[in-house]
Amino acid sequence: MQQFAFAKPLFYYRQHRVAMIIILTLLVLQFIAFKLLYPHPNFMPDSYGYLESARNNEVISTWPTGYSRFLKLLSVFSRNDVVLVFIQYFFLQGCILYFLFGTAHLLELKKGWLYFLAFLFTLNPTALLISNYVASDALFIGGSILWFCLMLQLLMKPERWMVWALVAVLFLLFIVRYNAIYYPVITVGVLLCSRLNRGIRLKGVGLIVLVLGLFVVQNLWEYKKLTGTAQFSPFGGWMLGGNALFMYSRLPRDTATPPKQFARMHALVNHHLDSLDTVKHRPDSMMGIYYIWRGPQRINMDRKYQGDSTASELKRWATMAPFNQAYASWLIKKHPTAYARYFMLPNVGNYFTPPGEFLDVYNQGRDSVQRVARIWFGYSNGYVKNFSKHLKVTGYVAALNTLFNILFLGGLLGFLLLSGFKAPAGSAVLNRCLLLATIVWLGNFLFSVALAPIVFRYQLMAMVLSAFFGCVLMNLLYRMSKDEAANRTAVTHLQPA
């Protein structure tokens, strides 16, 4: 096992340089071909929220404002949509290659395995589809992979600059998407376990607490001014409400008297679900969008603000979040087993085979985009060109995701059963890599299954980790089985006839 500058294998070894030239050529050719077929980026509801936030320089918004600030910064140089997609695509692929080549060299993974994985993810069409969105996904996935690489280096050969780089990357991820809510816990654990001197480790932890604390306090203060209630992210209340309503929609109607503050909402929910029972094709057949953005939560908000033209959409939405969260918490506490059965258990299946969601359809099946997109990108009209609106490739890639997760978990189980962490095949470097990968995978699994509707574009980072470490573990188990067979043969030969 080797300790080295993480980026060294990308440029230092001739064989890798040749592979990188081939990979870069493939990436460029793929990008050109894709842009000929889909000259415009893809848009979903989030896209317009990001663009509105960037145009208005909003401090708080429906979505985290980190990506909107990126759009604003990029607009200083260019508002060309091809430039945006190019940056997102090559940043994402660059981070994946940085991880693959750096970690493979660290663990001395055979070149055959490395090149297989490198070309697999180079030719993976979902990276192009994700990068073609006006959304934070590509930056967040690439940044999360970079975050993992920095933590890995801190555990192997720590240097002071890595601490400051890790804090910076963590902060940027935190303001880009709140899926990073559990990242600080893992980061602090890695910092405290690193072999840096105690003062640097404590400064790193203190800096994380400071920068993230300031960001949280700013959000609390801004929402306090807007709604009268301090809250970090109103989306959390709406999402939990959507999760709870999806669970409750699968249960018989609860006619017991609810707490007084929830009486009107509960009656509205029961009435709404009764009406859905008469619909042939229910809009809530899949968890996610319907109950978070529409359904009873939206109806309740519209009724509350009926006739009020002074409150902005953001104020209405943010004001309702604490109530939605409280009502959802009451429902979940009342039906904890049902929440596990109807939300968490299906989410386990979705984690291993995530649905494509917006990735399966170009521009939500529409021929035009909203006005804010026309203005931002300077389109002469609102129509977007495309080769096909149906992009159903994620089903095949999701099957690969299932396979890689099985390889990773099966390999990890086999490694544990064979006492791999204690065997000569294991080492301090390998053990740290596997432990970190397992913790990150488990953190992502628990967060996704318990709290968030799962779709494929949220799971690409976990797919990269499970694919790589699944291959590492399979290779190690093969070597360990060969060594064990050789040892048995040697013992047999030594025994007297």
Side-chain angles (χ1 to χ4, degrees):
M1 302 294 174
Q2 303 183 40
Q3 295 184 5
F4 65 106
F6 212 74
K8 186 177 180 180
L10 293 172
F11 312 105
Y12 186 76
Y13 299 100
R14 182 182 178 278
Q15 196 170 358
H16 287 351
R17 287 203 302 270
V18 173
M20 287 301 299
I21 291 171
I22 296 172
I23 288 170
L24 183 60
T25 303
L26 287 173
L27 291 177
V28 171
L29 291 175
Q30 281 185 123
F31 183 81
I32 293 171
F34 185 79
K35 283 287 103 183
L36 289 174
L37 296 174
Y38 295 91
H40 296 94
N42 208 341
F43 294 88
M44 57 179 163
D46 306 31
S47 306
Y48 303 116
Y50 288 127
L51 291 172
E52 286 284 2
S53 180
R55 187 177 69 168
N56 299 327
N57 292 312
E58 293 174 349
V59 178
I60 52 174
S61 180
T62 306
W63 291 271
T65 56
Y67 183 71
S68 299
R69 294 172 185 177
F70 163 74
L71 291 174
K72 190 70 175 178
L73 176 63
L74 183 60
S75 71
V76 175
F77 307 97
S78 174
R79 288 200 179 189
N80 187 290
D81 57 7
V82 177
V83 172
L84 171 64
V85 176
F86 179 88
I87 290 173
Q88 293 183 161
Y89 180 57
F90 281 89
F91 173 75
L92 173 57
Q93 290 286 21
C95 290
I96 292 174
L97 292 170
Y98 178 67
F99 162 75
L100 290 176
F101 278 81
T103 313
H105 188 66
L106 178 67
L107 297 178
E108 296 178 343
L109 184 66
K110 289 184 178 180
K111 290 185 176 68
W113 283 105
L114 170 60
Y115 293 154
F116 164 73
L117 290 170
F119 283 100
L120 177 69
F121 283 105
T122 297
L123 300 172
N124 180 5
T126 55
L128 266 170
L129 297 180
I130 288 171
S131 303
N132 197 48
Y133 263 110
V134 180
S136 63
D137 299 324
L139 297 187
F140 184 77
I141 296 166
S144 295
I145 293 171
L146 185 59
W147 167 72
F148 182 88
C149 292
L150 286 168
M151 290 194 296
L152 205 55
Q153 293 175 79
L154 263 176
L155 289 174
M156 302 305 157
K157 191 176 181 180
E159 296 181 29
R160 184 176 298 189
W161 68 266
M162 296 174 188
V163 176
W164 319 133
L166 183 60
V167 173
V169 170
L170 177 63
F171 173 72
L172 293 174
L173 289 171
F174 204 75
I175 66 173
V176 165
R177 185 185 290 162
Y178 296 146
N179 290 52
I181 197 75
Y182 63 93
Y183 284 18
V185 177
I186 298 175
T187 308
V188 168
V190 168
L191 272 173
L192 294 177
C193 292
S194 70
R195 289 174 292 175
L196 288 165
N197 70 65
R198 185 168 176 267
I200 296 296
R201 283 181 287 160
L202 292 179
K203 286 179 182 176
V205 172
L207 190 57
I208 289 174
V209 173
L210 177 64
V211 296
L212 297 188
L214 289 174
F215 176 68
V216 170
V217 168
Q218 181 194 37
N219 271 27
L220 293 172
W221 173 248
E222 292 294 337
Y223 280 116
K224 174 76 171 178
K225 288 195 300 181
L226 181 68
T227 69
T229 303
Q231 49 186 318
F232 172 60
S233 171
F235 183 74
W238 282 78
M239 184 174 70
L240 189 65
N243 298 348
L245 288 172
F246 181 83
M247 170 270 295
Y248 182 66
S249 70
R250 271 59 189 166
L251 299 177
R253 305 296 170 262
D254 186 352
T255 56
T257 303
K260 184 178 180 180
Q261 66 270 31
F262 302 136
R264 292 180 61 183
M265 179 64 174
H266 199 58
L268 168 62
V269 168
N270 284 335
H271 176 74
H272 187 81
L273 295 180
D274 287 341
S275 66
L276 288 183
D277 288 341
T278 64
V279 178
K280 185 176 181 180
H281 300 290
R282 291 179 61 127
D284 65 344
S285 57
M286 294 181 64
M287 66 177 66
I289 293 176
Y290 182 75
Y291 285 115
I292 295 176
W293 298 109
R294 303 170 196 159
Q297 293 192 127
R298 181 75 194 193
I299 294 170
N300 188 44
M301 183 185 78
D302 290 342
R303 287 182 178 178
K304 178 178 175 66
Y305 286 97
Q306 188 173 13
D308 184 353
S309 59
T310 59
S312 66
E313 179 69 15
L314 178 62
K315 182 176 181 178
R316 299 179 185 191
W317 176 80
T319 301
M320 296 303 300
F323 175 81
N324 291 340
Q325 183 169 349
Y327 177 67
S329 298
W330 172 72
L331 276 180
I332 293 169
K333 288 176 183 177
K334 191 170 185 181
H335 307 284
T337 305
Y339 186 76
R341 177 183 177 185
Y342 293 110
F343 182 82
M344 295 178 66
L345 189 59
N347 243 4
V348 172
N350 288 340
Y351 186 85
F352 286 93
T353 310
E357 192 219 21
F358 292 122
L359 289 180
D360 286 341
V361 182
Y362 180 77
N363 198 39
Q364 300 177 268
R366 298 168 184 166
D367 295 316
S368 60
V369 296
Q370 293 183 15
R371 182 172 178 269
V372 64
R374 297 202 308 269
I375 294 172
W376 186 267
F377 292 113
Y379 298 151
S380 57
N381 57 61
Y383 292 98
V384 290
K385 299 176 182 179
N386 58 84
F387 174 73
S388 172
K389 290 186 178 67
H390 302 287
L391 306 167
K392 292 189 177 294
V393 298
T394 53
Y396 304 104
V397 183
L400 279 178
N401 182 68
T402 306
L403 174 63
F404 290 143
N405 276 300
I406 292 172
L407 278 178
F408 174 64
L409 294 177
L412 190 62
L413 179 61
F415 197 65
L416 288 169
L417 291 175
L418 293 173
S419 301
F421 285 103
K422 298 177 182 178
S427 71
V429 174
L430 173 65
N431 293 348
R432 289 174 196 156
C433 288
L434 287 177
L435 184 60
L436 179 62
T438 303
I439 290 171
V440 171
W441 187 94
L442 189 61
N444 182 64
F445 175 81
L446 293 175
F447 173 82
S448 301
V449 168
L451 296 174
I454 295 174
V455 293
F456 186 85
R457 59 193 175 93
Y458 295 164
Q459 300 303 325
L460 185 57
M461 192 226 6
M463 179 181 176
V464 172
L465 292 182
S466 60
F468 180 84
F469 286 102
C471 289
V472 168
L473 286 164
M474 290 298 113
N475 186 44
L476 280 170
L477 290 175
Y478 175 71
R479 283 166 46 192
M480 291 171 69
S481 64
K482 282 185 64 177
D483 292 344
E484 186 176 350
N487 291 336
R488 286 177 180 174
T489 302
V491 170
T492 302
H493 287 164
L494 289 172
Q495 289 177 349

